[in-house]
Amino acid sequence: QVQLVESGGGLVQAGGSLRLSCAASGRTFVSYGVGWFRQAPGKEREFVASITWSGGATYYGDSVKGRFTISRDNAKNTVYLQMISLKPEDTAVYYCAARPGGRILATNTYEYDYWGQGTQVTVSS
């Protein structure tokens, strides 16, 4: 069993930066792949980024490529999402998710078994 808790969200002006954290419990977390998703009001949950268990491979959604960076520190059981050059359209609740089979860069919500409660990111224009 893995429990995930996101933090680091908040209100930021367009062009600003934020770093989200996803802290996990459970000693097997180091073997899990992790993804970040986001959901804006009235929209479907959207893939943002994913990372393999080792951190050796990452993958990004087209809308965030070049602006967001996913990373992990397995010693701290934490995955990060560094966001720069934020835009109003990045406004959403951001969720982290984990899945066994940490060698795969999964991009669909159904591929993940565990989810956090989400953290709100609001980008003002």
Short mmCIF file of all heavy atoms in Angstrom, two decimals, residues 71-113:
data_model
loop_
_atom_site.label_atom_id
_atom_site.label_comp_id
_atom_site.label_asym_id
_atom_site.label_seq_id
_atom_site.Cartn_x
_atom_site.Cartn_y
_atom_site.Cartn_z
N SER A 71 11.22 15.05 -11.16
CA SER A 71 12.40 14.41 -10.60
C SER A 71 11.99 13.66 -9.33
O SER A 71 10.87 13.83 -8.84
CB SER A 71 13.49 15.43 -10.28
OG SER A 71 13.03 16.36 -9.30
N ARG A 72 12.90 12.85 -8.81
CA ARG A 72 12.57 12.13 -7.59
C ARG A 72 13.81 11.94 -6.74
O ARG A 72 14.93 11.86 -7.26
CB ARG A 72 11.90 10.79 -7.90
CG ARG A 72 12.77 9.76 -8.57
CD ARG A 72 11.93 8.57 -9.06
NE ARG A 72 11.30 7.84 -7.97
CZ ARG A 72 10.28 6.99 -8.13
NH1 ARG A 72 9.79 6.78 -9.35
NH2 ARG A 72 9.78 6.34 -7.09
N ASP A 73 13.57 11.82 -5.44
CA ASP A 73 14.61 11.52 -4.47
C ASP A 73 14.13 10.30 -3.70
O ASP A 73 13.31 10.43 -2.77
CB ASP A 73 14.82 12.72 -3.54
CG ASP A 73 15.96 12.50 -2.56
OD1 ASP A 73 16.36 11.34 -2.34
OD2 ASP A 73 16.44 13.50 -2.02
N ASN A 74 14.59 9.13 -4.07
CA ASN A 74 14.09 7.90 -3.46
C ASN A 74 14.52 7.78 -2.00
O ASN A 74 13.85 7.09 -1.22
CB ASN A 74 14.54 6.69 -4.26
CG ASN A 74 13.74 6.52 -5.54
OD1 ASN A 74 12.62 7.04 -5.66
ND2 ASN A 74 14.28 5.78 -6.49
N ALA A 75 15.60 8.42 -1.62
CA ALA A 75 16.00 8.40 -0.21
C ALA A 75 14.98 9.13 0.65
O ALA A 75 14.84 8.83 1.85
CB ALA A 75 17.36 9.04 -0.05
N LYS A 76 14.26 10.06 0.05
CA LYS A 76 13.24 10.83 0.77
C LYS A 76 11.82 10.40 0.40
O LYS A 76 10.86 11.01 0.86
CB LYS A 76 13.39 12.32 0.49
CG LYS A 76 14.71 12.91 0.98
CD LYS A 76 14.78 14.40 0.71
CE LYS A 76 16.07 14.99 1.24
NZ LYS A 76 16.18 16.45 0.97
N ASN A 77 11.70 9.38 -0.44
CA ASN A 77 10.38 8.93 -0.88
C ASN A 77 9.55 10.09 -1.43
O ASN A 77 8.35 10.20 -1.14
CB ASN A 77 9.62 8.25 0.26
CG ASN A 77 9.81 6.75 0.28
OD1 ASN A 77 10.70 6.22 -0.39
ND2 ASN A 77 9.01 6.06 1.07
N THR A 78 10.17 10.93 -2.23
CA THR A 78 9.50 12.13 -2.71
C THR A 78 9.76 12.33 -4.20
O THR A 78 10.88 12.12 -4.68
CB THR A 78 9.98 13.37 -1.94
OG1 THR A 78 9.73 13.18 -0.54
CG2 THR A 78 9.25 14.63 -2.39
N VAL A 79 8.71 12.74 -4.88
CA VAL A 79 8.79 13.11 -6.29
C VAL A 79 8.43 14.58 -6.40
O VAL A 79 7.54 15.06 -5.69
CB VAL A 79 7.85 12.25 -7.15
CG1 VAL A 79 7.83 12.74 -8.59
CG2 VAL A 79 8.28 10.79 -7.09
N TYR A 80 9.12 15.28 -7.29
CA TYR A 80 8.93 16.72 -7.43
C TYR A 80 8.44 17.06 -8.83
O TYR A 80 8.70 16.35 -9.80
CB TYR A 80 10.24 17.45 -7.17
CG TYR A 80 10.86 17.15 -5.84
CD1 TYR A 80 11.88 16.21 -5.72
CD2 TYR A 80 10.42 17.79 -4.69
CE1 TYR A 80 12.45 15.91 -4.50
CE2 TYR A 80 10.99 17.51 -3.45
CZ TYR A 80 12.00 16.57 -3.36
OH TYR A 80 12.55 16.29 -2.14
N LEU A 81 7.78 18.20 -8.93
CA LEU A 81 7.43 18.76 -10.23
C LEU A 81 7.80 20.24 -10.18
O LEU A 81 7.13 21.03 -9.52
CB LEU A 81 5.95 18.59 -10.54
CG LEU A 81 5.53 19.07 -11.93
CD1 LEU A 81 6.12 18.13 -13.00
CD2 LEU A 81 4.02 19.12 -12.07
N GLN A 82 8.90 20.56 -10.83
CA GLN A 82 9.34 21.95 -10.92
C GLN A 82 8.64 22.59 -12.10
O GLN A 82 8.74 22.09 -13.23
CB GLN A 82 10.86 22.03 -11.09
CG GLN A 82 11.38 23.44 -11.22
CD GLN A 82 11.25 24.24 -9.95
OE1 GLN A 82 11.65 23.79 -8.87
NE2 GLN A 82 10.68 25.44 -10.04
N MET A 83 7.97 23.70 -11.87
CA MET A 83 7.21 24.37 -12.91
C MET A 83 7.72 25.80 -13.06
O MET A 83 7.76 26.55 -12.09
CB MET A 83 5.72 24.39 -12.54
CG MET A 83 5.16 23.01 -12.20
SD MET A 83 3.39 23.00 -11.89
CE MET A 83 3.31 23.97 -10.40
N ILE A 84 8.12 26.16 -14.27
CA ILE A 84 8.56 27.52 -14.55
C ILE A 84 7.73 28.09 -15.69
O ILE A 84 6.99 27.36 -16.36
CB ILE A 84 10.06 27.57 -14.91
CG1 ILE A 84 10.31 26.83 -16.22
CG2 ILE A 84 10.90 26.97 -13.78
CD1 ILE A 84 11.73 27.03 -16.75
N SER A 85 7.86 29.41 -15.90
CA SER A 85 7.13 30.08 -16.98
C SER A 85 5.66 29.72 -16.95
O SER A 85 5.05 29.40 -17.99
CB SER A 85 7.75 29.72 -18.34
OG SER A 85 9.11 30.07 -18.38
N LEU A 86 5.07 29.78 -15.78
CA LEU A 86 3.69 29.36 -15.63
C LEU A 86 2.73 30.27 -16.38
O LEU A 86 2.97 31.48 -16.50
CB LEU A 86 3.32 29.31 -14.15
CG LEU A 86 3.85 28.07 -13.42
CD1 LEU A 86 3.86 28.28 -11.92
CD2 LEU A 86 3.04 26.85 -13.79
N LYS A 87 1.67 29.67 -16.88
CA LYS A 87 0.66 30.39 -17.67
C LYS A 87 -0.71 30.23 -16.98
O LYS A 87 -0.93 29.25 -16.25
CB LYS A 87 0.58 29.79 -19.07
CG LYS A 87 1.89 29.73 -19.81
CD LYS A 87 1.72 28.98 -21.13
CE LYS A 87 3.04 28.87 -21.87
NZ LYS A 87 2.88 28.13 -23.16
N PRO A 88 -1.62 31.13 -17.23
CA PRO A 88 -2.96 30.99 -16.64
C PRO A 88 -3.60 29.64 -16.97
O PRO A 88 -4.34 29.09 -16.14
CB PRO A 88 -3.72 32.16 -17.25
CG PRO A 88 -2.68 33.20 -17.49
CD PRO A 88 -1.46 32.43 -17.93
N GLU A 89 -3.32 29.11 -18.13
CA GLU A 89 -3.91 27.82 -18.51
C GLU A 89 -3.31 26.65 -17.74
O GLU A 89 -3.79 25.51 -17.88
CB GLU A 89 -3.78 27.58 -20.02
CG GLU A 89 -2.39 27.78 -20.57
CD GLU A 89 -2.20 29.17 -21.18
OE1 GLU A 89 -2.63 30.17 -20.55
OE2 GLU A 89 -1.60 29.25 -22.27
N ASP A 90 -2.30 26.89 -16.93
CA ASP A 90 -1.75 25.83 -16.07
C ASP A 90 -2.57 25.72 -14.77
O ASP A 90 -2.33 24.80 -13.97
CB ASP A 90 -0.30 26.13 -15.69
CG ASP A 90 0.64 26.05 -16.89
OD1 ASP A 90 0.48 25.11 -17.70
OD2 ASP A 90 1.54 26.91 -17.00
N THR A 91 -3.50 26.62 -14.58
CA THR A 91 -4.34 26.58 -13.39
C THR A 91 -5.15 25.29 -13.33
O THR A 91 -5.86 24.94 -14.28
CB THR A 91 -5.29 27.79 -13.37
OG1 THR A 91 -4.52 28.99 -13.26
CG2 THR A 91 -6.26 27.70 -12.20
N ALA A 92 -5.01 24.57 -12.23
CA ALA A 92 -5.68 23.27 -12.07
C ALA A 92 -5.35 22.71 -10.69
O ALA A 92 -4.48 23.23 -9.99
CB ALA A 92 -5.21 22.29 -13.14
N VAL A 93 -6.03 21.63 -10.36
CA VAL A 93 -5.61 20.82 -9.22
C VAL A 93 -4.62 19.79 -9.75
O VAL A 93 -4.90 19.11 -10.74
CB VAL A 93 -6.80 20.11 -8.55
CG1 VAL A 93 -6.32 19.21 -7.42
CG2 VAL A 93 -7.79 21.15 -8.02
N TYR A 94 -3.48 19.71 -9.12
CA TYR A 94 -2.42 18.81 -9.55
C TYR A 94 -2.38 17.59 -8.63
O TYR A 94 -2.38 17.73 -7.41
CB TYR A 94 -1.07 19.52 -9.54
CG TYR A 94 -0.90 20.44 -10.72
CD1 TYR A 94 -1.64 21.62 -10.82
CD2 TYR A 94 -0.02 20.13 -11.75
CE1 TYR A 94 -1.50 22.46 -11.91
CE2 TYR A 94 0.14 20.97 -12.86
CZ TYR A 94 -0.61 22.12 -12.93
OH TYR A 94 -0.47 22.96 -14.02
N TYR A 95 -2.34 16.42 -9.25
CA TYR A 95 -2.34 15.16 -8.53
C TYR A 95 -1.08 14.36 -8.88
O TYR A 95 -0.68 14.33 -10.03
CB TYR A 95 -3.54 14.30 -8.92
CG TYR A 95 -4.88 14.91 -8.65
CD1 TYR A 95 -5.51 15.72 -9.59
CD2 TYR A 95 -5.53 14.67 -7.44
CE1 TYR A 95 -6.75 16.27 -9.34
CE2 TYR A 95 -6.78 15.21 -7.18
CZ TYR A 95 -7.39 16.02 -8.14
OH TYR A 95 -8.61 16.57 -7.89
N CYS A 96 -0.52 13.70 -7.88
CA CYS A 96 0.50 12.71 -8.19
C CYS A 96 -0.12 11.32 -8.06
O CYS A 96 -1.10 11.12 -7.32
CB CYS A 96 1.74 12.85 -7.32
SG CYS A 96 1.52 12.47 -5.58
N ALA A 97 0.45 10.38 -8.79
CA ALA A 97 -0.07 9.03 -8.82
C ALA A 97 1.11 8.06 -8.92
O ALA A 97 2.16 8.41 -9.47
CB ALA A 97 -1.01 8.85 -10.00
N ALA A 98 0.92 6.86 -8.40
CA ALA A 98 1.99 5.86 -8.42
C ALA A 98 1.48 4.53 -8.92
O ALA A 98 0.28 4.21 -8.78
CB ALA A 98 2.57 5.71 -7.01
N ARG A 99 2.38 3.77 -9.51
CA ARG A 99 2.02 2.47 -10.05
C ARG A 99 3.19 1.50 -9.89
O ARG A 99 4.36 1.91 -10.00
CB ARG A 99 1.68 2.59 -11.52
CG ARG A 99 2.74 3.29 -12.37
CD ARG A 99 2.54 3.01 -13.84
NE ARG A 99 3.01 1.68 -14.16
CZ ARG A 99 2.39 0.91 -15.05
NH1 ARG A 99 1.32 1.32 -15.68
NH2 ARG A 99 2.87 -0.30 -15.30
N PRO A 100 2.91 0.22 -9.64
CA PRO A 100 3.98 -0.77 -9.69
C PRO A 100 4.47 -0.89 -11.13
O PRO A 100 3.87 -0.33 -12.03
CB PRO A 100 3.30 -2.06 -9.23
CG PRO A 100 2.02 -1.64 -8.60
CD PRO A 100 1.62 -0.38 -9.29
N GLY A 101 5.52 -1.58 -11.34
CA GLY A 101 6.03 -1.65 -12.72
C GLY A 101 6.68 -0.33 -13.06
O GLY A 101 6.30 0.34 -14.01
N GLY A 102 7.67 0.03 -12.25
CA GLY A 102 8.23 1.36 -12.35
C GLY A 102 9.13 1.61 -13.54
O GLY A 102 9.70 2.70 -13.64
N ARG A 103 9.25 0.66 -14.44
CA ARG A 103 10.08 0.88 -15.63
C ARG A 103 9.29 1.52 -16.77
O ARG A 103 9.88 1.89 -17.79
CB ARG A 103 10.66 -0.45 -16.11
CG ARG A 103 11.60 -1.10 -15.12
CD ARG A 103 12.13 -2.43 -15.66
NE ARG A 103 12.93 -3.12 -14.67
CZ ARG A 103 14.24 -2.94 -14.53
NH1 ARG A 103 14.87 -2.09 -15.31
NH2 ARG A 103 14.91 -3.61 -13.60
N ILE A 104 7.99 1.59 -16.62
CA ILE A 104 7.12 2.08 -17.69
C ILE A 104 6.74 3.53 -17.44
O ILE A 104 6.39 3.90 -16.33
CB ILE A 104 5.85 1.22 -17.80
CG1 ILE A 104 6.22 -0.21 -18.18
CG2 ILE A 104 4.87 1.81 -18.80
CD1 ILE A 104 5.07 -1.18 -18.17
N LEU A 105 6.79 4.34 -18.47
CA LEU A 105 6.37 5.74 -18.39
C LEU A 105 4.89 5.81 -18.79
O LEU A 105 4.57 5.99 -19.95
CB LEU A 105 7.23 6.60 -19.30
CG LEU A 105 8.69 6.73 -18.87
CD1 LEU A 105 9.53 7.34 -19.98
CD2 LEU A 105 8.80 7.58 -17.61
N ALA A 106 4.03 5.65 -17.82
CA ALA A 106 2.59 5.59 -18.08
C ALA A 106 2.01 7.00 -18.20
O ALA A 106 2.42 7.91 -17.46
CB ALA A 106 1.89 4.83 -16.97
N THR A 107 1.04 7.16 -19.10
CA THR A 107 0.45 8.47 -19.34
C THR A 107 -1.07 8.50 -19.14
O THR A 107 -1.68 9.56 -19.29
CB THR A 107 0.76 8.94 -20.77
OG1 THR A 107 0.16 8.02 -21.70
CG2 THR A 107 2.26 9.00 -21.02
N ASN A 108 -1.67 7.37 -18.82
CA ASN A 108 -3.12 7.30 -18.66
C ASN A 108 -3.49 7.11 -17.21
O ASN A 108 -2.83 6.39 -16.46
CB ASN A 108 -3.68 6.13 -19.47
CG ASN A 108 -3.42 6.29 -20.94
OD1 ASN A 108 -3.95 7.17 -21.58
ND2 ASN A 108 -2.55 5.43 -21.47
N THR A 109 -4.60 7.70 -16.79
CA THR A 109 -5.01 7.62 -15.40
C THR A 109 -5.26 6.18 -14.96
O THR A 109 -4.93 5.81 -13.83
CB THR A 109 -6.27 8.45 -15.14
OG1 THR A 109 -7.32 8.01 -16.02
CG2 THR A 109 -6.03 9.94 -15.38
N TYR A 110 -5.79 5.35 -15.86
CA TYR A 110 -6.13 3.98 -15.46
C TYR A 110 -4.90 3.11 -15.22
O TYR A 110 -5.00 2.01 -14.68
CB TYR A 110 -7.04 3.33 -16.52
CG TYR A 110 -6.43 3.16 -17.88
CD1 TYR A 110 -5.55 2.11 -18.16
CD2 TYR A 110 -6.73 4.04 -18.92
CE1 TYR A 110 -4.99 1.95 -19.41
CE2 TYR A 110 -6.17 3.89 -20.18
CZ TYR A 110 -5.30 2.85 -20.42
OH TYR A 110 -4.74 2.69 -21.65
N GLU A 111 -3.74 3.59 -15.60
CA GLU A 111 -2.50 2.83 -15.39
C GLU A 111 -1.94 3.01 -13.99
O GLU A 111 -0.96 2.35 -13.63
CB GLU A 111 -1.46 3.25 -16.42
CG GLU A 111 -1.86 2.93 -17.86
CD GLU A 111 -0.81 3.34 -18.86
OE1 GLU A 111 -0.80 4.53 -19.26
OE2 GLU A 111 0.01 2.48 -19.25
N TYR A 112 -2.52 3.89 -13.22
CA TYR A 112 -2.02 4.19 -11.88
C TYR A 112 -2.96 3.64 -10.81
O TYR A 112 -4.18 3.75 -10.92
CB TYR A 112 -1.83 5.70 -11.70
CG TYR A 112 -0.67 6.23 -12.51
CD1 TYR A 112 -0.84 6.62 -13.83
CD2 TYR A 112 0.61 6.29 -11.95
CE1 TYR A 112 0.23 7.09 -14.59
CE2 TYR A 112 1.69 6.76 -12.70
CZ TYR A 112 1.49 7.15 -14.02
OH TYR A 112 2.56 7.60 -14.76
N ASP A 113 -2.36 3.08 -9.77
CA ASP A 113 -3.13 2.44 -8.70
C ASP A 113 -3.37 3.35 -7.50
O ASP A 113 -4.34 3.16 -6.77
CB ASP A 113 -2.40 1.19 -8.21
CG ASP A 113 -2.32 0.12 -9.29
OD1 ASP A 113 -3.19 0.10 -10.17
OD2 ASP A 113 -1.41 -0.71 -9.23
#
